[in-house]
Amino acid sequence: MDSSPAANPPPAEMRRRPGGRSAQVRGAVLAAVRTLLVEHGYDALAVDTVADRAGVHRTTVYRRWRDVGGLLADALDEAADDGWRPPDTGTLHGDLHALNREVADALTADPSLSAALIAASFRSEQAARALRAFWDDRYERCAVVVHRAAARGEIPAGSDPRRLLVAATAPLYHELVLLRSPHDDRLARQAAGYATAAAREGAFV
Amino acid sequence: MDSSPAANPPPAEMRRRPGGRSAQVRGAVLAAVRTLLVEHGYDALAVDTVADRAGVHRTTVYRRWRDVGGLLADALDEAADDGWRPPDTGTLHGDLHALNREVADALTADPSLSAALIAASFRSEQAARALRAFWDDRYERCAVVVHRAAARGEIPAGSDPRRLLVAATAPLYHELVLLRSPHDDRLARQAAGYATAAAREGAFV
């Protein structure tokens, strides 16, 4: 990426695609946000540092994202825009277990963007709001897991999807993010098991 | 508190109580840590700031606590040393509900020392270790809640106390700390309900 758009005209393939230049700048800037966040944490995130890392003019970044909060919010918007759908294994326990494995993998990746974003949410109100919006979106997409289980007769109709999904995933976040427990493969299965057992008993109705 | 121990001899009542001066210095310093943490967050915690706030000589604080991590760890040690015992209401659901109300009250206090310590644990390895040790101690003290329920025949013998307690409390931390959901009185009761239902089904054996 050029560091001085005025002096360096975009290459030919970008001039041929309207919007391509803007999308490419966004891609480079958000990649720089992710890299800096997982490598050095929230303290390393400054608009100037991100711009330099992305090879984009600083004024471009200030104009489009305003501040670090704006950069983090857009990074989460981009992540939410990934067409992700929850697993469909045929049982509630199987779906929750597969979902929890995805959560555990994301939290224990090295480096982990999820863990870095959670840490950032304690420093920036805007990051906290963006993370909440991201999770709300994920809970909405996962509601189908609970509706399918009710349709199969596994759990009572009227079980609240969000409460069930929080109960199923919260022990993983608690152990891996707050208690910093060592990763244990059984945790994803066990937490899926508690939530499934409680759901069968009608605890989420 | 004096700011120059060499120049100002301790008052008479402290000379009569061996250890009194040291305990008083610790009390003032840890009170300053708590106040600064809840008022201004981790960024306000510096040994010099804490010493000045406590009215204690800076070298005294450096000698005894070394750094901010040492101050946070000692503040949690002091909190763990409070003789706290879990509620005993006569039922597992009652005990977990009462426990969850205490957790929710601590997390939603304004200002909340618990929330400030969790935020600090994302900035300081030593704070993270101290918080984990504090929670481990609390889980051990709460194990009796699970043992009593098994002895009453409410849940199968051999139910794992720590896993059950994490399952019962994790949804509160998830909603109030990570998702920043508005406080809802029903949450403490509901989370106690999920864990009790799952425990009855043998999900923690």
Side-chain angles (χ1 to χ4, degrees):
Chain A
M1 303 246 93
D2 63 18
S3 61
S4 169
N8 302 308
E13 76 275 15
M14 281 197 258
R15 285 198 303 269
R16 283 199 308 266
R17 256 190 319 122
R21 169 77 190 148
S22 167
Q24 201 173 37
V25 165
R26 183 182 183 223
V29 166
L30 297 186
V33 168
R34 289 191 299 267
T35 304
L36 289 167
L37 197 59
V38 298
E39 281 179 6
H40 307 289
Y42 182 81
D43 286 319
L45 279 190
V47 172
D48 290 354
T49 322
V50 168
D52 294 351
R53 179 81 175 223
V56 170
H57 206 283
R58 293 177 175 189
T59 52
T60 305
V61 180
Y62 279 109
R63 199 168 48 233
R64 184 154 168 186
W65 288 276
R66 204 165 52 93
D67 56 21
V68 166
L71 286 165
L72 281 169
D74 198 30
L76 276 159
D77 269 357
E78 190 196 41
D81 209 25
D82 60 357
W84 182 87
R85 288 290 173 271
D88 185 3
T89 66
T91 66
L92 178 62
H93 185 272
D95 285 359
L96 295 177
H97 184 193
L99 190 60
N100 273 353
R101 271 200 307 254
E102 287 190 37
V103 170
D105 285 348
L107 291 175
T108 57
D110 185 19
S112 164
L113 180 62
S114 301
L117 283 165
I118 291 171
S121 75
F122 287 94
R123 310 289 302 285
S124 150
E125 267 301 313
Q126 203 170 348
R129 277 198 304 275
L131 194 55
R132 183 182 157 85
F134 176 80
W135 271 325
D136 281 347
D137 172 71
R138 287 298 200 244
Y139 288 127
E140 273 180 40
R141 295 191 204 196
C142 287
V144 67
V145 163
V146 178
H147 296 315
R148 285 192 305 237
R152 283 189 300 257
E154 278 191 80
I155 60 173
S159 297
D160 186 278
R162 191 179 186 284
R163 281 169 47 201
L164 197 162
L165 292 161
V166 168
T169 54
L172 269 86
Y173 286 99
H174 200 70
E175 289 283 5
L176 299 176
V177 177
L178 297 183
L179 297 176
R180 279 95 172 161
S181 302
H183 184 212
D184 180 337
D185 272 338
R186 292 172 301 181
L187 190 59
R189 186 176 45 76
Q190 288 170 346
Y194 319 150
T196 305
R200 283 189 193 128
E201 295 302 298
F204 303 100
V205 175
Chain B
M1 307 247 91
D2 62 19
S3 63
S4 169
N8 303 308
E13 75 275 14
M14 281 197 257
R15 282 198 304 268
R16 283 198 306 266
R17 251 185 330 119
R21 168 76 190 149
S22 167
Q24 201 172 37
V25 165
R26 185 183 183 223
V29 166
L30 298 186
V33 169
R34 290 191 297 268
T35 304
L36 288 166
L37 197 58
V38 298
E39 281 179 4
H40 306 289
Y42 182 81
D43 286 319
L45 280 189
V47 172
D48 291 354
T49 322
V50 169
D52 295 351
R53 180 81 176 225
V56 170
H57 206 284
R58 292 178 176 189
T59 53
T60 305
V61 180
Y62 278 109
R63 202 167 47 233
R64 185 157 167 185
W65 287 277
R66 206 166 51 92
D67 57 20
V68 166
L71 286 165
L72 282 170
D74 198 31
L76 276 160
D77 269 357
E78 190 196 42
D81 207 26
D82 60 357
W84 182 88
R85 288 289 173 272
D88 185 3
T89 66
T91 66
L92 178 62
H93 186 271
D95 286 358
L96 295 177
H97 184 194
L99 190 61
N100 272 353
R101 271 199 307 252
E102 287 190 37
V103 170
D105 285 349
L107 291 175
T108 56
D110 186 18
S112 165
L113 180 61
S114 301
L117 283 166
I118 291 171
S121 75
F122 287 94
R123 310 289 302 284
S124 151
E125 268 300 313
Q126 204 170 346
R129 277 198 304 274
L131 194 56
R132 183 183 158 85
F134 175 80
W135 270 325
D136 281 345
D137 172 71
R138 287 297 201 245
Y139 288 127
E140 274 179 39
R141 294 191 204 197
C142 287
V144 67
V145 163
V146 179
H147 296 314
R148 284 193 306 238
R152 282 189 301 257
E154 279 191 80
I155 60 173
S159 295
D160 186 276
R162 191 179 187 285
R163 281 168 48 201
L164 197 162
L165 291 161
V166 168
T169 55
L172 269 87
Y173 286 99
H174 200 71
E175 289 282 7
L176 299 176
V177 177
L178 297 183
L179 297 176
R180 279 97 173 159
S181 300
H183 184 212
D184 180 336
D185 273 336
R186 292 172 299 180
L187 189 59
R189 186 175 47 74
Q190 288 170 346
Y194 318 150
T196 304
R200 284 190 192 128
E201 295 301 298
F204 302 100
V205 175

